Structures are given as structure tokens and as C-alpha cells.
């Protein structure tokens, strides 16, 4: 399944925030190539070929292959952070909002598994400045989960002896879905999201 097709019905045009259309096509092609071959094994010629364009056309929109990866990573991390914040800022108890955050976060990593593998696992290929920018976004995502856990502990909803360690465990569990999720598998993205929400509440010692 291609990066342009991995979530039928969820968005009319994946990566619609990228314009013009040629730049969007190149980005979609880069996601597919990076996910299939890895960043370092992918050439600009591979990307341009998948987009049905000449290698020279790529440089009109992106100065380097690394710039393409940064654009993909930035959009992906912004979306992931938005998902977590929307859930955390919603109504309900800390446990309910943590479950909503995990459910939505996991669903995105399942529905967008091709994209998410590139977003989450090619961080080391970024240059120092771009890497620092993305690392900061990851810290902000961690802060959302950590705040929910701390809030739940303070309210007596959770029993978490090590909040920082549990935060890392929760995010790692959710993100790893992008490695193995298969749209033809026995569980849907929604079902995996619900399963993981329950697992995380158990990890947090949620009082039922």
C-alpha cells in the first residue's frame, strides 16, 4: 500500500498541506521510497522516478534529499503532537483522556504506518539543526503524556512509581505499531487503538 493510499476515506488528499502539486507528489514518492528502502539507500533519482518526474525537477522544490526528509518528519511530528494535545485538552478524567490520547495516537500510527515508519525511525538521518527541531517536538509529545500521568497520580487515579520511565514506555509502545501493522491483519486500526488504550491504563495502575 502506498503512502498516498494507506488511509482511504480518512483524508481526500494525503499531504494536502504541501503545495504545489509537484512538491506533494515528490513528498509522497519520498515517503514510499524511504519506507521501502531506507533513507540512505534511496537516491533522488529513485524519488523523482516514483513521482514520474525528472531528477532535475526535484531540485526545483527541494534543495536536498535531507530537506525532503525534514519536511516529512516535521509534518508528521506536528500531527502526532496535535493528536496528543487534542485528547489531553478534552473533557474527562486523566484516565479517560490518557486512553483517548493513546487510542488516537495508535490509530494514526496504524492508519499511516508507511508514513509513520519514516517519521519516527529516520530521525538520525537528519542534519543537526533539523534533528534538534524534531527532537524538541518529541519532547513536547513526551510532556503531554507525562502531564496526564502526573495528573492521574495526583488525583489518585494512577499508581505510577516512575512517571518519566512510564512515559517513554507508553510512547514507544504506541509508535512501534507502525513497524508491524498490516491493513490485511486480523485487527483494524481502531481495534489496535482500543487494545493499546487498555494496556496503557493497566500499565498506569488505573483504579477501576
Amino acid at each position: 500500500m502506498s503512502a498516498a493510499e494507506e488511509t482511504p476515506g480518512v483524508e481526500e488528499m494525503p499531504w494536502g498541506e504541501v503545495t504545489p502539486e509537484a512538491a506533494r507528489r515528490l513528498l509522497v514518492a519520498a515517503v514510499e521510497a524511504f519506507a521501502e528502502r531506507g533513507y540512505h539507500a534511496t537516491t533522488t533519482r529513485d524519488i523523482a522516478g516514483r513521482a514520474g518526474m525528472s531528477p532535475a525537477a526535484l531540485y526545483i522544490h527541494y534543495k536536498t534529499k535531507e530537506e525532503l526528509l525534514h519536511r516529512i518528519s516535521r509534518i508528521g511530528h506536528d500531527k502526532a503532537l496535535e493528536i496528543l494535545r487534542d485528547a489531553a485538552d478534552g473533557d474527562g478524567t486523566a484516565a479517560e483522556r490518557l486512553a483517548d490520547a493513546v487510542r488516537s495516537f495508535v490509530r494514526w500510527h496504524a492508519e499511516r504506518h508507511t508514513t509513520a515508519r519514516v517519521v519516527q525511525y529516520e530521525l538520525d538521518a537528519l542534519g543537526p539543526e533539523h534533528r534538534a527541531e524534531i527532537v524538541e517536538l518529541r519532547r513536547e509529545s513526551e510532556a503531554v503524556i507525562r502531564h496526564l500521568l502526573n495528573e492521574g497520580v495526583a488525583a489518585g487515579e494512577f499508581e505510577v512509581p516512575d512517571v518519566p520511565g512510564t512515559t517513554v514506555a507508553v510512547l514507544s509502545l504506541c509508535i512501534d505499531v507502525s513497524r508491524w501493522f498490516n491493513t490485511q491483519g486480523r485487527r483494524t486500526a481502531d481495534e489496535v487503538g482500543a487494545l493499546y488504550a487498555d494496556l496503557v491504563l493497566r500499565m498506569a495502575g488505573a483504579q477501576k
Side-chain angles (χ1 to χ4, degrees):
M1 181 175 291
S2 74
E5 300 171 336
E6 60 185 354
T7 51
V10 177
E11 290 179 349
E12 291 185 5
M13 181 171 294
W15 305 98
E17 61 268 68
V18 179
T19 56
E21 172 61 14
R24 190 190 75 85
R25 282 168 50 201
L26 286 162
L27 189 141
V28 169
V31 169
E32 294 171 359
F34 294 158
E36 181 181 311
R37 307 186 62 183
Y39 174 81
H40 293 294
T42 299
T43 67
T44 53
R45 185 174 294 276
D46 293 331
I47 296 167
R50 284 173 182 260
M53 301 164 72
S54 70
L58 185 148
Y59 295 108
I60 296 173
H61 303 284
Y62 303 98
K63 295 177 183 177
T64 63
K65 184 175 71 166
E66 192 267 353
E67 183 179 314
L68 249 175
L69 177 62
H70 170 250
R71 184 87 168 107
I72 293 164
S73 192
R74 178 70 204 221
I75 292 172
H77 278 88
D78 279 342
K79 182 61 180 176
L81 181 57
E82 177 188 339
I83 287 168
L84 291 175
R85 282 178 170 165
D86 283 350
D89 292 341
D91 297 326
T93 64
E96 289 168 342
R97 286 179 285 125
L98 178 61
D100 284 345
V102 169
R103 191 161 37 241
S104 300
F105 197 58
V106 166
R107 188 168 57 238
W108 185 82
H109 281 81
E111 291 174 340
R112 297 273 186 265
H113 54 277
T114 303
T115 296
R117 282 200 306 277
V118 177
V119 168
Q120 299 290 3
Y121 294 111
E122 291 287 3
L123 180 64
D124 289 341
L126 292 171
E129 184 177 342
H130 285 160
R131 188 179 191 282
E133 177 187 316
I134 300 304
V135 166
E136 180 56 34
L137 289 173
R138 291 166 83 100
R139 287 188 182 129
E140 291 180 37
S141 291
E142 288 181 13
V144 174
I145 298 298
R146 188 167 59 248
H147 176 76
L148 285 170
L149 289 172
N150 279 322
E151 190 178 339
V153 170
E157 296 179 49
F158 300 151
E159 292 182 6
V160 185
D162 182 352
V163 168
T166 303
T167 298
V168 172
V170 168
L171 289 171
S172 297
L173 186 71
C174 296
I175 288 168
D176 197 57
V177 169
S178 64
R179 287 188 187 269
W180 59 261
F181 185 78
N182 184 342
T183 53
Q184 305 304 314
R186 63 189 183 92
R187 283 194 174 98
T188 66
D190 284 338
E191 289 169 341
V192 176
L195 171 64
Y196 275 47
D198 182 65
L199 290 173
V200 167
L201 290 181
R202 291 172 185 270
M203 285 172 60
Q207 304 301 306
K208 295 186 178 180

